[in-house]
Amino acid sequence: MSQPPPTATGAAALLLTDRLGRALNITQGRGSQILTAPQPYGWVEIGGRVLLEGAERQPGLS
């Protein structure tokens, strides 16, 4: 079963995005994705996705 990436991965993604000055798309394991993008004034935008699988999947979601 997929699990969210550890918080250390997100923290490292923020620092690496700032250092490189470009967007990153990090895939970790099966179904976990971290997306980052540099923003003005030294800010970094971060978001992500996780794959929901198994019995807990909600009807109508794909």
Side-chain angles (χ1 to χ4, degrees):
M1 181 179 290
S2 296
Q3 294 187 5
T7 54
T9 304
L14 291 172
L15 294 173
L16 191 55
T17 299
D18 183 56
R19 174 66 70 92
L20 296 175
R22 66 177 185 86
L24 298 177
N25 181 341
I26 301 168
T27 302
Q28 186 172 24
R30 285 185 38 211
S32 295
Q33 182 181 32
I34 297 174
L35 304 164
T36 65
Q39 300 296 308
Y41 308 109
W43 287 78
V44 175
E45 180 180 10
I46 187 167
R49 300 180 181 119
V50 292
L51 176 64
L52 180 63
E53 57 183 42
E56 64 277 353
R57 175 174 253 163
Q58 297 179 13
L61 297 179
S62 52

